[in-house]
């Protein structure tokens, strides 16, 4: 009985050790992905823009700009953002998917995608707005028809 109990305890200890290591590997891969995707550079640029916009929108903060900037440096950190991004990646992607993305973003094509991604997102919005604008007469026609149908239904 003692040998069986010792064996089970060792097995449980091994399982817990493996679980901790798997979690650490998972965490590291998501952190690596955040780094590869240029997150730090984007975060630094974005946080600077956010702080400036905050000051522009609240003019009373302008005279306290050094305090706001100090606050940003102390509390809006890449380390915190990186950890939050890793959590987000794990919420949406499996470990094998994260590893595949790491492999992709380490390639020249992956890096090119990252460089062009903001432009592509902007172009997608612009294309959608242009198409909606082009089709606006059809929307107005459909709304007019719906209005007539609801008026005749009463």
């Amino acid at each position: 009985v003692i040998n069986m109990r010792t064996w089970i305890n060792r097995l449980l200890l091994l399982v817990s050790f493996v679980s901790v290591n798997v979690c650490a590997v998972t965490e590291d891969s998501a952190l690596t992905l955040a780094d590869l995707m240029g997150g730090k550079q984007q975060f630094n640029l974005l946080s600077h823009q956010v702080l400036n916009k905050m000051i522009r929108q609240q003019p009373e903060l302008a005279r306290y700009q050094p305090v706001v900037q100090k606050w940003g440096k102390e509390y809006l950190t890449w380390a915190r953002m990186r950890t939050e991004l890793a959590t987000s990646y794990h919420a949406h992607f499996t470990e094998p998917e994260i590893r595949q993305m790491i492999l992709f973003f380490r390639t020249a094509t992956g890096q090119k995608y990252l460089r062009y991604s903001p432009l592509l997102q902007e172009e997608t919005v612009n294309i959608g707005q242009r198409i909606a604008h082009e089709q606006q007469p059809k929307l107005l026609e459909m709304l007019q028809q719906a209005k007539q149908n609801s008026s005749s239904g009463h």
Side-chain angles (χ1 to χ4, degrees):
V1 175
I2 293 176
N3 286 338
M4 181 64 90
R5 192 175 291 169
T6 302
W7 186 83
I8 289 173
N9 285 338
R10 287 180 182 166
L11 182 61
L12 290 173
L13 181 63
L14 178 63
V15 167
S16 65
F17 177 77
V18 169
S19 297
V20 167
N21 282 339
V22 167
C23 290
V25 168
T26 301
E27 184 77 331
D28 288 346
S29 63
L31 293 172
T32 299
L33 181 60
D35 292 338
L36 274 174
M37 293 181 68
K40 184 174 185 176
Q41 295 83 358
Q42 290 176 357
F43 175 78
N44 288 336
L45 178 64
L46 184 61
S47 63
H48 179 72
Q49 290 172 348
V50 166
L51 291 176
N52 286 338
K53 184 176 182 178
M54 193 170 85
I55 290 169
R56 280 194 313 275
Q57 290 178 340
Q58 300 176 48
E60 65 275 8
L61 290 178
R63 60 188 255 209
Y64 300 107
Q65 185 170 354
V67 174
V68 173
Q69 289 174 338
K70 181 180 178 188
W71 170 80
K73 283 185 178 186
E74 289 180 23
Y75 299 103
L76 303 179
T77 65
W78 170 242
R80 171 75 188 272
M81 183 67 167
R82 186 176 182 246
T83 302
E84 298 279 339
L85 284 172
T87 300
S88 179
Y89 295 154
H90 286 299
H92 302 289
F93 301 101
T94 65
E95 180 61 25
E97 290 169 332
I98 290 171
R99 280 190 251 118
Q100 289 172 0
M101 287 188 290
I102 289 170
L103 291 175
F104 174 68
F105 289 123
R106 283 185 172 153
T107 68
T109 302
Q111 289 299 303
K112 184 174 182 177
Y113 172 80
L114 290 173
R115 281 192 312 275
Y116 282 93
S117 185
L119 175 63
L120 293 171
Q121 289 175 355
E122 183 180 331
E123 287 178 353
T124 299
V125 169
N126 291 339
I127 291 167
Q129 289 173 340
R130 180 180 48 78
I131 291 170
H133 182 71
E134 288 171 2
Q135 299 303 317
Q136 190 174 11
K138 184 64 178 168
L139 172 61
L140 295 174
E141 179 184 316
M142 293 169 71
L143 290 171
Q144 185 64 33
Q145 183 65 42
K147 186 176 179 181
Q148 288 173 357
N149 290 346
S150 67
S151 295
S152 65
H154 286 280

